[in-house]
Amino acid sequence: QSALTQPASVSGSPGQSITISCTGTSSDVGGYNHVSWYQQLPGKDPKVMILEVTNRPFGVSTRFSGSKSGNTASLTISGLQPEDEGDYYCKSYQSSGTYVFGSGTRVTVL
Amino acid sequence: QVQLVQSGAEVRKPGASVKVSCKTSGYTFTNYLIHWVRQAPGEGLEWMGIFKSDIGDTIYARNFQDRITLTSDTSTSTVFMELSSLRSEDTAVYYCAREGVGTWYLDFWGQGTLVTVSS
């Protein structure tokens, strides 16, 4: 039950857009729309930013958006801001009834 | 208001077991599932298992299948996670988190419980 593959780090300047990928298989990311994204700021608990691939929970900035193509889901942060700096994790439901997190991506605002 | 309150930090020796509690309140217990997730120091999130409060069923990650047990006390809306045969690599913060039945995402997390395994 290996973690979904994410880039270790992504960086961008304020105002730029960045995209974080999350690659799995047809048994998880590719087979279901049950992909969610979590932001973990330093010293804080994770917070859901995107659910069911594309949906934003109430209160989450419209700068955060999600998509999926095949076995890869993506999180895009538009208009990058200093407060976006932290770790981001994808999570997917799996055909075995289990769940799996991505390996995590450190976002740095230059 | 919704609360998931976990038990306090624990220290165990290698080979021992630990039982962490997650007391829930502020919502209908059977309308939400409880996941357990851990995070080792400086590492990422790792999914461990789920307690399906609506039907009393459990599903465990393959990595923990032989060592983890999730139980509940419905009278206090508390879920317990017991991990056995501890080793140093099990040193981590352990979180409980809830998922609304059929929503497929974690909307509320406990404060985390640090478990340290050291001889």
Side-chain angles (χ1 to χ4, degrees), chain A residues 43-107:
Chain A
K44 300 292 188 182
D45 298 337
K47 171 189 173 185
V48 64
M49 306 303 284
I50 294 288
L51 53 107
E52 294 294 276
V53 178
T54 60
N55 298 336
R56 257 187 323 274
F58 178 78
V60 171
S61 170
T62 55
R63 297 186 299 104
F64 292 85
S65 62
S67 62
K68 189 180 83 168
S69 177
N71 296 337
T72 299
S74 299
L75 173 72
T76 297
I77 308 176
S78 305
L80 196 63
Q81 297 183 1
E83 57 263 35
D84 299 332
E85 199 163 88
D87 296 324
Y88 291 79
Y89 298 90
C90 58
K91 179 176 75 68
S92 175
Y93 176 78
Q94 298 184 296
S95 58
S96 54
T98 56
Y99 293 74
V100 63
F101 279 97
S103 48
T105 299
R106 173 68 54 89
V107 169

Side-chain angles (χ1 to χ4, degrees), chain B residues 2-68:
Chain B
V2 174
Q3 286 193 306
L4 277 66
V5 179
Q6 299 183 222
S7 47
E10 303 271 13
V11 179
R12 293 286 186 273
K13 293 190 183 304
S17 297
V18 69
K19 193 169 187 178
V20 179
S21 65
C22 173
K23 181 172 172 57
T24 73
S25 61
Y27 68 92
T28 302
F29 184 67
T30 52
N31 287 350
Y32 289 82
L33 318 176
I34 294 293
H35 294 244
W36 287 85
V37 177
R38 77 176 185 180
Q39 186 168 35
E43 301 294 322
L45 302 174
E46 183 176 19
W47 188 82
M48 301 178 69
I50 182 172
F51 181 83
K52 297 187 173 184
S53 317
D54 53 343
I55 59 175
D57 191 19
T58 55
I59 298 179
Y60 303 132
R62 195 180 312 129
N63 292 349
F64 300 97
Q65 195 112 30
D66 298 332
R67 301 197 293 137
I68 188 174

